Amino acid sequence: MTLTAKDFRTDQEVRWCPGCGDYAILAAMQSFMPELGIERENTVFVSGIGCAARFPYYMNTYGMHSIHGRAPAIATGLATTRPDLSVWVVTGDGDALSIGGNHLIHALRRNVNVKILLFNNRIYGLTKGQYSPTSELGKVTKSTPMGSLDWPFNPLSLAIGAEATFVARAIDTDKAGMTAVLRAAAEHRGSAFVEIFQNCPIFNDDAFAFVRDDKDGANRIPLRDGEPITWGAGGEKALRQRSDGSIEVCDAAEDGVLVHDARHESAALAFALSRVTQDSLGGTPVGVFRDVERPVYDDLMAEQLATATAKRGEGDLAALLHSGETWDIG
Amino acid sequence: MAKPVEQLSQVIVRFAGDSGDGMQLTGSQFTSETALLGNDISTFPDFPAEIRAPAGSLPGVSGFQVHFADFDILTPGDAPNVLVAMNPAALKTNIKDLPKGGTLIVNSDAFNDRNLQKAGYAASPLEDGSLDEFQLHSVPLTSLTVGALKGIDGVTPREAERSKNMFALGLMSWLYGRSIDPTIEFLESKFAKRPEIAEANVKALQAGYAFGETTETFAVTYEVKPAKLEPGTYRNITGNQALSLGLVAAAKLAKLPLFLGAYPITPASAILEELAGYKNFGVRTFQAEDEIAAAGAAVGAAFGGSLGVTTSAGPGVVLKAETIGLAIMLELPLVICDIQRAGPATGMPTKPEQGDLLMVLFGRNSESPVPVVAARSPSDCFDAAIEACRLALKYRTPVYLLSDAYLANGSEPWLLPDVGTLPDISTRLATKPNDGDQFLPYLRDEQTLARPWAVPGTPGLEHRIGGLEKADRTGNVSYDPDNHDLMTRLRAQKVAGIAGDIPELEVDDPSGDARILVLGWGGTYGPIAAACRRVRQNGRAVAHAHLRHLNPFPRNTGEVLRRYDKVLVPEMNLGQLLKLVRAEFLVDAVGYNRVRGLPLRAAEVARAIEALADQ
């Protein structure tokens, strides 16, 4: 039986605010899931705490809505013991980058086979509007009446710095782009990190208006592997790498336009691209920044178990208890 | 010519030296030699948290006490009969424990001005008569060792000097008639890659043995006959080893893969290290980025159908409280091992305490009951681990397993169980809908109140669980007031109901005349039982009951407590079980509490029992 988007809906009433970007992400995910060809019972969504973390309740798969920031750790235990499953983590900017920052970076460096989707709305929504670790410096919120003092994280730079093997960005309203990124993430063996720009209409409306409403493509820089990186309404703008590795904007017709290489051995290019922002260069790259192969934690662990079993035979409990120096009393 | 042999019933030897002197190795090898001779044994390693504190300093002293006897013993002994002190600092910190007339063997080479000064001695105690009340044997261990090792190629003078612990072991082995063959075998395998070091150590060992035979300083040797222990096959085991084996056994008995999430912490790390070696048993060990992730990963593994375990000590366990709360709400099996150490905060990492009882019972937000199981001796950690896993799996709940630094590192002979007699703790995973064609993840088993465990990969049972309050039966998110009241009570009843599934509290009162009961729990079993023996030898009756289950208590606990005129509760804390029994059973029990970071001493507990009886 072929599954459809409907098969991935649950009977639970979806309880996000009207206009929340999460609706679009949920719809995109539910319609994308059937094309993966993975049975519902073999798919698991794990989340932490926050608005985004309600996601598993609405996916008719196995799921766990866990504790704040810990989803990558919980998913690591699940993925490591059950390599047969497709494990997804849904998290937010506060959940992943503040309280769960440690778990996020370690899951990425280990290359555990989990797909981590970070819904970034640059605000704490569920606690009603405090600044988050991705809020801009000077952001005025309920907890920062005179402006935030925190310099924000760039989630992609962080992930690349944490040795992530797959790093991508999508936009909640761009269903086609998001589906392409999710597909690439699902196909990647190992951990995949996807930042999804997600609008919070209540506490941080239009934080990403420059790309969400970017109908003529003036601000979105599409990353296509193996193709020159150009954008603009008529494709007239391009990115070029300076000799020091940093990136500048040039005319698409000029020489030296950067050709995207998501599979480059060095993380330097992906990192440089992650530094290209609306603020720094007037454009925002979307798509897959980095997609490289590295041994996967779960596979390595399974290999060690297989090697040990091949070498020593399947464990015999009685023999184990009697190992070491023993003596008999008659 | 062979020297005369004197018979002894029991001996307590303490090896003490610098952290770098190899006292733990010396002690454990002496223990191995002794075990093979058939004596009953109990050991207590006592070492500083610093790996190499400044050489010769008082805080750097490391000790290993071994008690061996021709009868069944319960503790490593309150005080040594024989003290081996490798330097002035070791003498200074340990001499107060050696009774008058005790045997004292010192490495006289280490008693130089510098070391004496570091230990705070104004004059050498070897020369000022201050040790006259002991049988002092002043032996130049270092120079004898270096002399014996002359001519071995590739061994530096420093390495030769470092073999002096083996010289001391050889001497002690001779003195108590222990064969050094097992140690020779051990050294040859340990230093297989550096044969010259193996040779140096073996030569030092043999030289120490020969020194005993020839020197006039020792006039007699001693013999301790084998103990009459229950027939069977034995091995010497520490609590952490036994606990690790118990977890492996539990997973086998449950027919589930074992997953351990852990973060290195004293004194629990050895469990992680031990289990990492059992990959051919399907054991997965995950050294997490922190204590929280260690617990979280274990919950994730449990969701996926593994036996999820996390191990730590108090300072790590406090960080796991959040995850344990989640596991309570998820109603998934999880075993949390707390190898207790002296606290609060970092406290004394290598020293035992029973200070975490109230934390594991109550250290979480809201109404969050967790069953608690405590091990009573090093080898008992095996059975306690299986019991903790049994309860976790059967009742789908996190369960605490309490051990402590004394049990973890201490050792005793373990009568190996017949694998066939171990309990079947296999559990059923849900495979099909449980309410018509629907699956209700929170529809409970009528008897245990446990919910079904449906693991991902099972078609038709897809469901979502989480930390938000669950609606009864469906497990959907619910904010309904009556439902929350119901679910809170159900979670409490489920744990309380375990009382019907554990043995009643047994009382040891050989005469049946006791009017005073000593109630203990966990790692104080040995000292309390030994204390009760002493009291009985003095002609008085005393009863001893020891709790394995701290939540829920055995169903007859109140009845047992009320049977006696007086109840004494000795603990290595300021009265935590005491508080519980007073609150729970309205019994006017009194405490005996010591928090020195050392096991209770049998003699002091005996005095406390007699003092209470006399009141």
Side-chain angles (χ1 to χ4, degrees), chain B residues 3 136-137 139 171 174 210-220:
Chain B
K3 293 180 181 177
L136 173 65
H137 301 278
V139 183
L171 175 58
W174 168 80
F211 176 78
E213 280 178 322
T214 51
T215 183
E216 286 174 10
T217 182
F218 295 98
V220 293

Side-chain angles (χ1 to χ4, degrees), chain B residues 188-196:
Chain B
E188 282 170 352
S189 115
K190 182 177 166 74
F191 297 111
K193 285 191 184 143
R194 287 203 64 191
E196 72 284 4

Side-chain angles (χ1 to χ4, degrees), chain B residues 111-388:
Chain B
F111 282 67
N112 55 33
D113 289 348
R114 201 173 138 68
N115 283 341
L116 288 167
Q117 195 200 342
K118 278 190 202 165
Y121 282 115
S124 173
L126 304 184
E127 286 150 22
D128 67 2
S130 62
L131 301 174
D132 284 354
E133 58 192 10
F134 307 108
Q135 296 180 51
L136 173 65
H137 301 278
S138 189
V139 183
L141 290 171
T142 311
S143 44
L144 286 171
T145 305
V146 172
L149 302 190
K150 268 199 187 123
I152 303 180
D153 280 348
V155 174
T156 65
R158 171 104 187 89
E159 284 166 344
E161 204 184 305
R162 285 185 58 177
S163 304
K164 63 182 180 295
N165 62 330
M166 287 299 112
F167 189 99
L169 177 60
L171 175 58
M172 293 304 289
S173 302
W174 168 80
L175 191 59
Y176 291 100
R178 261 99 267 261
S179 164
I180 54 174
D181 292 344
T183 300
I184 294 175
E185 247 175 67
F186 166 82
L187 290 169
E188 282 170 352
S189 115
K190 182 177 166 74
F191 297 111
K193 285 191 184 143
R194 287 203 64 191
E196 72 284 4
I197 298 293
E199 189 191 349
N201 276 285
V202 169
K203 271 209 167 145
L205 181 73
Q206 289 165 333
Y209 196 94
F211 176 78
E213 280 178 322
T214 51
T215 183
E216 286 174 10
T217 182
F218 295 98
V220 293
T221 72
Y222 302 95
E223 183 181 10
V224 177
K225 290 244 161 68
K228 286 179 195 63
L229 299 174
E230 222 180 298
T233 303
Y234 285 78
R235 74 184 269 199
N236 192 49
I237 195 126
T238 67
N240 274 348
Q241 284 173 326
L243 195 152
S244 306
L245 294 177
L247 293 175
V248 175
K252 271 263 179 192
L253 298 168
K255 304 181 183 73
L256 294 174
L258 179 64
F259 178 90
L260 174 74
Y263 185 80
I265 185 171
T266 303
S269 306
I271 302 169
L272 167 63
E273 294 162 5
E274 185 92 11
L275 288 176
Y278 300 145
K279 296 193 199 305
N280 61 327
F281 284 81
V283 177
R284 286 178 166 83
T285 54
F286 171 61
Q287 183 174 315
E289 59 271 24
D290 60 26
E291 296 281 359
I292 299 169
V299 168
F303 186 52
S306 285
L307 172 56
V309 178
T310 185
T311 51
S312 191
V317 170
V318 294
L319 293 165
K320 300 182 193 288
E322 172 195 48
T323 312
I324 294 161
L326 176 70
I328 293 170
M329 200 59 139
L330 299 180
E331 303 196 41
L332 282 175
L334 174 71
V335 174
I336 313 105
C337 306
D338 179 358
I339 316 303
Q340 298 167 96
R341 65 189 222 190
T346 310
M348 301 196 288
T350 57
K351 313 290 182 186
E353 200 167 274
Q354 292 182 305
D356 294 352
L357 178 58
L358 294 183
M359 172 181 74
V360 303
L361 281 166
F362 306 116
R364 288 171 298 282
N365 54 313
S366 190
E367 295 289 340
S368 45
V370 174
V372 179
V373 173
R376 60 163 61 178
S377 75
S379 67
D380 183 53
C381 289
F382 178 82
D383 296 313
I386 295 175
E387 174 66 354

Side-chain angles (χ1 to χ4, degrees), chain A residues 12 41-42 56 60-65 70 77 80 82 102-103 110 297 304 312-313 315 321 323 326-329, chain B residues 35 231-235 252 277 279-280 284 286 289-290 297 304 322 456-458 462-467 476:
Chain A
Q12 298 298 293
E41 67 267 21
N42 290 330
N60 194 6
T61 61
Y62 280 89
M64 187 196 293
H65 174 218
R70 317 302 175 209
T80 302
R82 294 291 306 275
N102 199 32
H103 308 307
R110 288 190 186 103
Y297 188 80
Q304 285 198 346
R312 282 178 269 164
L321 300 189
S323 60
T326 62
W327 67 94
D328 292 315
I329 289 181
Chain B
T233 303
Y234 285 78
R235 74 184 269 199
K252 271 263 179 192
K279 296 193 199 305
N280 61 327
R284 286 178 166 83
F286 171 61
E289 59 271 24
D290 60 26
E322 172 195 48
T458 317
E462 296 83 5
H463 65 284
R464 276 65 55 193
I465 54 177
N476 289 329

Side-chain angles (χ1 to χ4, degrees), chain A residues 44-325:
Chain A
V44 186
F45 281 84
V46 181
S47 64
I49 295 294
C51 295
R54 302 297 175 97
F55 202 89
Y57 289 122
Y58 311 134
M59 291 296 299
N60 194 6
T61 61
Y62 280 89
M64 187 196 293
H65 174 218
S66 75
I67 30 182
H68 208 5
R70 317 302 175 209
I74 291 168
T76 294
L78 180 61
T80 302
T81 50
R82 294 291 306 275
D84 56 319
L85 301 176
S86 171
V87 182
W88 298 72
V89 167
V90 175
T91 182
D93 37 318
D95 192 56
L97 301 175
S98 239
I99 196 164
N102 199 32
H103 308 307
L104 175 73
I105 58 176
H106 288 276
L108 294 177
R109 82 169 162 94
R110 288 190 186 103
N111 206 25
V112 181
N113 195 24
V114 296
K115 316 302 160 198
I116 301 173
L117 312 180
L118 189 158
F119 299 4
N120 183 8
N121 56 18
R122 308 188 77 177
I123 200 78
Y124 280 85
L126 199 58
T127 52
K128 303 192 177 176
Q130 300 82 12
Y131 75 106
S132 90
T134 54
S135 297
E136 59 275 23
L137 184 72
K139 177 89 174 169
V140 174
T141 70
K142 286 181 186 169
S143 61
T144 49
M146 295 176 69
S148 157
L149 306 175
D150 293 26
W151 187 257
F153 266 137
N154 175 325
L156 298 188
S157 298
L158 180 81
I160 295 162
E163 306 286 343
T165 52
F166 181 99
V167 176
R169 178 184 285 145
I171 299 163
D172 57 3
T173 49
D174 173 15
K175 189 175 176 187
M178 179 160 35
T179 304
V181 160
L182 292 177
R183 190 180 303 119
E187 283 166 2
H188 175 79
R189 279 289 299 162
S191 50
F193 179 81
V194 180
E195 178 190 30
I196 303 176
F197 283 171
Q198 175 249 326
N199 192 46
C200 174
I202 308 296
F203 297 108
N204 203 17
D205 198 17
D206 288 340
F208 300 109
F210 53 93
V211 280
R212 286 180 98 230
D213 306 333
D214 184 27
K215 299 278 184 266
D216 55 1
N219 296 325
R220 284 185 203 181
I221 309 177
L223 297 178
R224 297 184 195 94
D225 201 30
E227 291 185 25
I229 304 175
T230 60
W231 87 101
E236 69 285 1
K237 287 190 269 188
L239 295 182
R240 184 164 62 188
Q241 204 162 14
R242 297 193 191 98
S243 59
D244 68 0
S246 63
I247 287 178
E248 62 184 358
V249 178
C250 66
D251 193 297
E254 284 183 63
D255 284 347
V257 169
L258 183 59
V259 175
H260 186 44
D261 182 5
R263 295 172 196 279
H264 198 287
E265 199 183 335
S266 161
L269 173 64
F271 188 83
L273 283 171
S274 77
R275 309 309 288 176
V276 176
T277 63
Q278 207 64 39
D279 288 344
S280 66
L281 291 178
T284 303
V286 290
V288 178
F289 286 59
R290 182 159 171 77
D291 184 0
V292 294
E293 277 183 32
R294 200 171 70 219
V296 178
Y297 188 80
D298 344 354
D299 295 344
L300 292 173
M301 187 175 284
E303 270 170 42
Q304 285 198 346
L305 264 61
T307 305
T309 307
K311 219 184 254 177
R312 282 178 269 164
E314 200 171 313
D316 174 343
L317 186 58
L320 175 65
L321 300 189
H322 284 74
S323 60
E325 279 177 23

